[in-house]
Amino acid sequence: MQTSEAKKVNYLSAQHTVASWLLTIDHKRIAILYLVSITVMFLIGGLMAAAIRAELLTPAGDLMGSDTYNKAFTLHGIVMVFFFLIPSIPATLGNFLVPLMIGAKDLAFPRINLLSWYIYMVGATIGIVATVTGGLDTGWTLYTPYSTAYATTNVVMPAIGLFITGFSSILTGLNFIVTIHKMRAPGMTWFRLPLFIWAQYATSIVMILATPVIAITVLMVAIDRGLGLGIFDPKAGGDPVLFQHLFWFYSHPAVYIMILPAMGVISEVIPCFSKKRIFGYNFIAASSLSIAIIGFFVWGHHLFTTPQSMYAAMAFSIITFAVAVPSAVKTFNWTATMYRGSVSFEAPMIYAFGFMGLFLVGGLTGLFLGALGLDLHVHDTYFVVAHFHYIMVGGAIMAYMAGLHFWWPKMTGRMYPEGPAKAAALLIFVGFNLTFFPQFLAGYAGMPRRYHYYPPEFQIFNVLSTAGSSILALGYLLPLGYLLWSLRYGRAAGRNPWGATGLEWMIDSPPSPHNFDETPVVTWEPYDYPDAHRRTAEHAASEAARV
Amino acid sequence: MSEIASRLQHHFANEEQQYDAATFGMWVFLVTEIMFFGGLLTAYVVYRTAYPEVFATASHHLNVYLGTFNTIVLIGSSLTMAMAVHSARLNQRQKLAVYLILTMILGSVFLGVKAYEYTHKWHEGLFPGNFFYAGPDAVHQRLFFSVYFALTGLHATHMIIGIGIMLVILRMSMKGRFDETWYTPVEITGLYWHFVDLVWIFLFPLLYLIQRHG
Ligand SMILES: [Cu+2]
């Protein structure tokens, strides 16, 4: 039925028109649409970071005034959190891999998947346009009553942009949950799922439960600005702290929207480059779910300095410590996986090592901040800034880079050049630590965040930090160059360049538009290293036999 | 034959899987919706706990007769919606159209009454953005109306969207898209509509019936 000529058609080469991209319902193409869009967002957010670091090189405010600086860090925060990190792994790697890994032809709702990308684009465009036409200076947290009553900048438009973008996240989560429940191939039982899928599933739960709360909250802020609704207005008896509760009810779990998929990537990369079955599969799967669930009950640790009841604060503190346990379970399991494995150091693995180190520092300093006493000391200082950058950049982006390199051969059919990739991974690791470790020290010494000038005794930390950020920037620009280069000149990847397990590695690279010629029947356990190559060869042979 | 084939989207193994995915998807969406309203209901709980007396007084500005009337209208629309789904199951196209139109009419009656109530509140100076009511504890009464307009406004928006979806379903039905083996869109629209009704069943006592017994 199929000629060998037709067999070579893959999802990239199937059609070439612009419309075939903009109207595609193929999850793999939508993943690419997201990949391109969030890369643009990353560059915008990165540009703002560069502006911030340049300003902070000297104690005086010489490049910009307070107002401009406030707008710069607000734009940096909003773009990086809402338009880059939240969609990063789920919308790109998740979109691409969830159907492939469970043996499905697509997500359950392909058109809703495309819709989510358009919603994202509309929300992000509104957000960006808003910053061009006046900017926003509230910080990414949009705290009331400053945002509703006193800010002179444009609050309504970005708030509406965030409201809209939230729906793209909800639809992605909904799509993943239904897909993972209903679209698994025969034999793909829950405990044969790759851990990346478990991570996406846990993430999706957070997306559908937490996102609607921030959506309605920012909508109330927008309506308050526009129509004087006043739900959070203290002049009307409203409670600004209620806003903080609702905001963090989303924004703490939002960290898990970023870090759970990251952990999923690491759980795939480490066994592959250790050539060893993952240690403690059940524990890693369960820890994803428990992080998602416990993560819903810790938001109050952002409110230790508000008039929150002391007993509530104690409970939030204890639960914050508790959520560290499943994270530690994962870290120990990854380490145990490598023990006596045949560890090799390709770029994805270097990123994975980077992730483990940086996530460890980020997680442990999170415990500092979850402690009631210490939090008062370092609250609103650079210690907090350093902590969440270790999680969001050192954790989430390192894993995103690991995943991007790991599955790049599958997505494009080409290998990236290993040398530059290793160099970039090392540059990012060194640059990152040089940028953010001094911020722990500055913060601990009392440097407050969100000021464009500071006492001269903090300059040494800021000089180190700015120097580090230029190395970091170089580290991020390098992949942009060599990954694009590899599209044309990279070596052909073949089905399974890493000898990895997982259904996605048994099919062609890049996959055909409908993923599987024949729905696979799964009869084996996940991570059955080192048998992966054999499985791929068998599948290729059976595909050839069908022709 | 070709119609059935075209209804089964390429990525599903069979119609059962397709149906399961669609209904499960709607249930997941409704969970999201609960959290959506949940944010505002939290505000309601916090403020009512803080100002119980004020909420009771402010609640008496609402017209409980119109509220009751609307509750009955909406429960009626749930019934006609259920009948619509039932007719779809039996492939009674005529009846499906009648019940869908009835549901839309009832929904519109509800929205009409709501619009009347809103204008009335506006003229009384009880709209938060146009607040000139000067009774006792007016500042905190305003807070009640902030929550009232946010909750009922969000609910009304859901109803408008629901009526829009029903228009699409009606068109699909008139084009003969449904039969007894496939009427999933009617069914999940029904789920959505029942949910919107259910939200009102909570909102009505929470907003209109505070300390009415006294
Ligand atoms: Cu937190």
Side-chain angles (χ1 to χ4, degrees):
Chain A
M1 194 171 156
Q2 281 172 309
T3 66
S4 57
E5 198 58 37
K7 248 188 106 53
K8 281 179 193 156
V9 170
N10 62 53
Y11 81 102
L12 293 170
S13 68
Q15 280 173 300
H16 289 287
T17 59
V18 174
S20 77
W21 279 95
L22 293 181
L23 299 175
T24 183
I25 53 169
D26 183 336
H27 65 104
K28 301 181 288 302
R29 283 192 164 209
I30 295 170
I32 303 293
L33 291 177
Y34 264 116
L35 180 63
V36 174
S37 334
I38 68 165
T39 304
V40 172
M41 288 298 158
F42 182 71
L43 292 176
I44 296 175
L47 213 59
M48 289 303 115
I52 292 167
R53 281 322 321 163
E55 166 56 53
L56 292 176
L57 195 55
T58 59
D62 25 30
L63 283 182
M64 34 184 145
S66 307
D67 289 342
T68 318
Y69 184 76
N70 293 349
K71 287 178 188 175
F73 73 68
T74 302
L75 182 60
H76 169 69
I78 286 195
V79 167
M80 286 303 204
V81 170
F82 294 108
F83 301 144
F84 174 72
L85 281 164
I86 294 285
S88 60
I89 297 181
T92 57
L93 298 174
N95 245 332
F96 194 91
L97 293 167
V98 167
L100 292 179
M101 283 183 165
I102 65 171
K105 291 200 172 80
D106 206 317
L107 289 172
F109 310 116
R111 276 178 294 189
I112 287 181
N113 195 19
L114 180 64
L115 177 68
S116 88
W117 180 71
Y118 276 102
I119 292 176
Y120 167 80
M121 290 306 283
V122 169
T125 309
I126 291 177
I128 299 296
V129 168
T131 51
V132 176
T133 59
L136 177 68
D137 68 346
T138 60
W140 76 282
T141 48
L142 292 165
Y143 270 16
T144 58
Y146 181 72
S147 62
T148 48
Y150 302 108
T152 52
T153 47
N154 196 350
V155 178
V156 177
M157 257 175 51
I160 289 176
L162 294 188
F163 173 75
I164 294 173
T165 314
F167 285 95
S168 94
S169 186
I170 290 172
L171 292 179
T172 301
L174 184 150
N175 223 335
F176 285 0
I177 289 180
V178 176
T179 305
I180 295 169
H181 269 274
K182 302 289 180 190
M183 309 287 285
R184 284 171 286 126
M188 182 55 93
T189 58
W190 281 89
F191 289 97
R192 282 178 181 166
L193 288 172
L195 289 163
F196 181 78
I197 299 292
W198 277 99
Q200 290 296 338
Y201 185 73
T203 309
S204 304
I205 291 175
V206 180
M207 282 171 156
I208 65 150
L209 292 180
T211 317
V213 176
I214 186 101
I216 194 68
T217 306
V218 294
L219 185 65
M220 289 305 120
V221 168
I223 295 179
D224 199 333
R225 272 300 273 213
L227 302 171
L229 186 69
I231 276 200
F232 305 117
D233 182 1
K235 274 189 286 185
D239 189 355
V241 178
L242 175 66
F243 170 85
Q244 296 184 23
H245 277 289
L246 293 173
F247 179 85
W248 289 109
F249 180 81
Y250 167 79
S251 295
H252 183 86
V255 177
Y256 300 124
I257 298 180
M258 305 166 198
I259 207 71
L260 279 169
M263 292 165 156
V265 168
I266 301 303
S267 298
E268 299 300 315
V269 169
I270 286 191
C272 176
F273 294 102
S274 307
K275 287 291 167 285
K276 207 164 144 258
R277 185 184 294 262
I278 192 131
F279 184 87
Y281 173 96
N282 293 344
F283 280 91
I284 297 183
S287 64
S288 285
L289 288 181
S290 46
I291 289 174
I293 292 163
I294 303 174
F296 271 107
F297 302 98
V298 302
W299 79 87
H301 62 216
H302 296 272
L303 287 86
F304 285 163
T305 58
T306 68
Q308 175 178 246
S309 111
M310 187 181 74
Y311 299 104
M314 282 161 68
F316 280 125
S317 177
I318 291 166
I319 305 172
T320 302
F321 287 128
V323 83
V325 174
S327 307
V329 164
K330 280 186 199 283
T331 313
F332 286 126
N333 278 315
W334 294 324
T335 316
T337 304
M338 287 187 279
Y339 179 66
R340 292 198 168 175
S342 323
V343 178
S344 58
F345 293 91
E346 281 85 355
M349 190 62 163
I350 297 180
Y351 280 111
F353 274 112
F355 170 93
M356 285 174 66
L358 301 180
F359 177 71
L360 189 71
V361 175
L364 291 177
T365 52
L367 296 180
F368 291 29
L369 291 163
L372 288 169
L374 190 55
D375 181 69
L376 295 186
H377 175 62
V378 291
H379 176 82
D380 228 2
T381 67
Y382 266 87
F383 192 89
V384 178
V385 176
H387 155 70
F388 71 72
H389 279 88
Y390 264 80
I391 296 289
M392 289 150 122
V393 185
I397 300 185
M398 285 303 257
Y400 172 69
M401 297 298 283
L404 197 59
H405 284 80
F406 187 55
W407 284 290
W408 187 258
K410 185 51 65 183
M411 296 167 88
T412 64
R414 303 282 185 169
M415 297 305 287
Y416 61 83
E418 194 62 48
K422 280 181 181 161
L426 289 173
L427 276 179
I428 291 175
F429 184 78
V430 171
F432 176 86
N433 280 303
L434 191 53
T435 308
F436 290 104
F437 201 82
Q439 296 186 9
F440 278 127
L441 306 177
Y444 198 79
M447 180 172 170
R449 60 194 284 206
R450 293 182 168 172
Y451 287 92
H452 68 300
Y453 57 92
Y454 52 85
E457 64 260 35
F458 294 125
Q459 190 174 14
I460 176 67
F461 303 121
N462 282 287
V463 169
L464 287 174
S465 189
T466 300
S469 69
S470 53
I471 299 176
L472 191 56
L474 186 66
Y476 284 135
L477 286 175
L478 249 157
L480 197 64
Y482 65 73
L483 287 179
L484 287 174
W485 175 89
S486 78
L487 287 179
R488 208 183 172 95
Y489 305 104
R491 181 161 58 77
R495 288 173 190 244
N496 193 355
W498 309 122
T501 62
L503 294 179
E504 80 271 28
W505 297 109
M506 297 179 11
I507 54 174
D508 278 329
S509 308
S512 79
H514 49 276
N515 299 351
F516 298 94
D517 293 338
E518 184 180 359
T519 307
V521 178
V522 182
T523 55
W524 55 89
E525 300 306 306
Y527 307 103
D528 53 345
Y529 289 101
D531 274 354
H533 276 306
R534 182 176 57 83
R535 189 103 53 215
T536 303
E538 282 172 11
H539 187 84
S542 98
E543 264 182 22
R546 282 182 80 242
V547 175
Chain B
M1 169 65 203
S2 67
E3 206 185 320
I4 290 180
S6 70
R7 274 189 334 218
L8 181 65
Q9 292 176 289
H10 78 286
H11 58 295
F12 288 111
N14 50 51
E15 293 215 3
E16 193 195 344
Q17 188 188 35
Q18 177 166 298
Y19 170 81
D20 280 354
T23 40
F24 185 55
M26 184 44 98
W27 280 109
V28 174
F29 181 70
L30 294 183
V31 171
T32 291
E33 288 278 31
I34 290 172
M35 296 306 288
F36 205 59
F37 281 96
L40 281 179
L41 285 170
T42 308
Y44 172 90
V45 170
V46 168
Y47 293 144
R48 186 171 165 183
T49 317
Y51 314 109
E53 300 304 321
V54 182
F55 263 52
T57 331
S59 168
H60 282 72
H61 289 293
L62 300 180
N63 188 328
V64 74
Y65 299 107
L66 288 179
T68 311
F69 174 76
N70 255 354
T71 308
I72 295 167
V73 167
L74 218 47
I75 291 174
S77 82
S78 250
L79 178 68
T80 54
M81 189 72 224
M83 295 305 290
V85 176
H86 185 68
S87 312
R89 187 176 299 135
L90 300 177
N91 196 19
Q92 296 166 328
R93 210 174 292 168
Q94 207 87 46
K95 278 191 173 176
L96 171 60
V98 170
Y99 283 123
L100 277 178
I101 291 169
L102 268 177
T103 313
M104 285 189 279
I105 290 175
L106 289 171
S108 310
V109 169
F110 178 97
L111 288 171
V113 172
K114 204 79 230 156
Y116 170 78
E117 285 185 82
Y118 276 4
T119 34
H120 196 63
K121 296 284 163 302
W122 175 275
H123 291 307
E124 278 187 295
L126 291 170
F127 186 77
N130 175 37
F131 198 81
F132 52 81
Y133 175 77
D137 218 348
V139 169
H140 292 139
Q141 293 217 18
R142 190 187 144 179
L143 199 58
F144 173 83
F145 284 101
S146 297
V147 177
Y148 165 82
F149 278 103
L151 275 168
T152 56
L154 185 65
H155 177 257
T157 311
H158 276 79
M159 294 199 52
I160 294 168
I161 292 169
I163 292 173
I165 296 172
M166 270 184 260
L167 280 172
V168 177
I169 298 292
L170 186 62
R171 242 178 86 89
M172 285 174 82
S173 163
M174 298 210 297
K175 281 187 182 166
R177 292 281 198 77
F178 307 129
D179 59 35
E180 57 272 68
T181 59
W182 189 74
Y183 53 94
T184 316
V186 187
E187 183 141 353
I188 62 173
T189 308
L191 281 177
Y192 173 83
W193 191 256
H194 293 316
F195 170 81
V196 176
D197 287 357
L198 197 61
V199 169
W200 179 256
I201 301 296
F202 280 93
L203 292 189
F204 174 60
L206 287 178
L207 294 169
Y208 286 75
L209 301 182
I210 304 176
Q211 284 184 19
R212 283 282 176 184
H213 57 275

